[in-house]
Structure formats: C-alpha cells, structure tokens
Amino acid sequence: MKALDVANCLIDHYGQGGDMTSLRINRLVYFAQAVSLQQFHQPLFDDAIQAWQDGPVQPDVYHAFQRYGRGCVRATEESYTVTPLLEDVAETLMNSYGQLSTFDLVRLAHGDGSAWSNVYDGSRDVAVITDRDILDSVDGKPNDRLRSHTLTEGFEHAMQKWPNTMKLLEDD
C-alpha cells in the first residue's frame, strides 16, 4: 500500500468537515502509520516518512496536495486501494486524532518523545523516520497526551467554565 492511498481514503471518508488541509493530511498520514505500527503491529504503507524542518512528512503526499496551500483539499488525487487494515487504522486514527485541530497534530508530532524530535536535529534538511524510530517513540500509542494541553481541550474547558459567555460569542 502507498501513503497516497491512505491520504485519499482519509479525504474521502473524513474530509467532509472542510478542514482537511495539506498539512492536516500529511500529519494524519504520519499518525496513521504510527497507529498501525504501535497498535496493529505492522506498517500501513511502505513509503518512507521524512523528518523535515516543519515536522514528519511523507513526500508523495506532500507533493500531491501542496498546490492547495493552506486551503481545504476537496478531492482525492487518484483512485486508491482500501484494505481491511486501512479501514481499521483509519477508524482508530480518527477516533483518537480526528477531533484534534491541525495545530494540535503539529504540536504532537513535534513534542517530546516524538519520532520527529528524536530524529531531526536541524543539521540537515531531511532525515528519514524509520519504523523503528516510530516504535521507539510515543507516537501512535493510546494515551492521555492526545487531549492534554490541546486547543480542543482549551475550548472544552472554556465552554464548561464560562458557558454563558461562550453563548454570546456564538454566531446567530
């Protein structure tokens, strides 16, 4: 399976909310590989993931969707293959990571103990993140760090603490 299959599947099945940007897709593809390795004990795709200055990137996915810039990706790039593993990983991924903002996905990918932070040292433009690097990291493991100190958690806290104030900010 190719990383582009994963990206296209995520766009098709989970991209209706309008927030599926190129950056978000790349981070979700990365975390899909991490979830597959950590929780399903096998790689989801064979394509290499690289540690770029801005985080983990799968180059084929990046190049396929970079033309959208910061805009929403509304269509898949090509036909794609779906396997039972991809279906299971995508469901697990979106249940854990799907509610997080793109900002939160980037923060997690750059966080302490992440494969990117363990591999990227800034001395070169690109380093490869191997399956072993992911397995030795916190990425893709089910844990509480996914929701702690996130933008999503902040909004939920504000809604609980100041429900009337937040209602005033709602659009009519």
Side-chain angles (χ1 to χ4, degrees):
M1 172 162 292
K2 299 286 187 190
L4 207 47
D5 291 324
V6 177
N8 285 321
C9 176
L10 293 173
I11 292 164
D12 249 2
H13 292 91
Y14 302 99
Q16 299 80 16
D19 65 347
M20 200 62 91
T21 63
S22 179
L23 176 60
R24 183 173 185 79
I25 292 165
N26 228 301
R27 290 308 174 270
L28 287 172
V29 166
Y30 168 71
F31 283 117
Q33 182 76 319
V35 165
S36 188
L37 288 165
Q38 298 283 16
Q39 298 182 41
F40 294 87
H41 313 292
Q42 58 185 312
L44 182 58
F45 55 83
D46 298 322
D47 301 318
I49 296 172
Q50 297 177 348
W52 291 8
Q53 179 180 1
D54 294 327
V57 174
Q58 201 300 305
D60 296 333
V61 173
Y62 173 81
H63 293 297
F65 299 105
Q66 74 179 25
R67 73 176 182 272
Y68 290 94
R70 293 181 177 172
C72 292
V73 176
R74 303 236 180 254
T76 60
E77 273 306 294
E78 56 190 44
S79 62
Y80 59 94
T81 302
V82 176
T83 64
L85 177 61
L86 175 53
E87 289 176 342
D88 291 344
V89 169
E91 182 177 351
T92 301
L93 172 78
M94 296 312 286
N95 285 337
S96 298
Y97 294 84
Q99 298 301 315
L100 299 177
S101 70
T102 301
F103 172 80
D104 292 331
L105 293 173
V106 169
R107 187 187 56 76
L108 285 171
H110 288 228
D112 290 339
S114 71
W116 179 86
S117 70
N118 294 337
V119 169
Y120 187 76
D121 64 7
S123 66
R124 53 186 171 196
D125 290 338
V126 173
V128 174
I129 297 175
T130 66
D131 291 351
R132 173 53 43 205
D133 294 326
I134 294 171
L135 287 167
D136 290 343
S137 76
V138 297
D139 298 334
K141 293 179 180 175
N143 60 43
D144 293 335
R145 89 181 181 106
L146 292 180
R147 304 242 346 136
S148 67
H149 299 84
T150 63
L151 187 59
T152 303
E153 181 190 49
F155 281 123
E156 289 171 355
H157 175 73
M159 290 295 290
Q160 289 174 357
K161 189 167 182 172
W162 302 292
N164 292 331
T165 302
M166 298 310 283
K167 285 182 183 180
L168 292 172
L169 297 175
E170 289 179 354
D171 289 335
D172 291 326

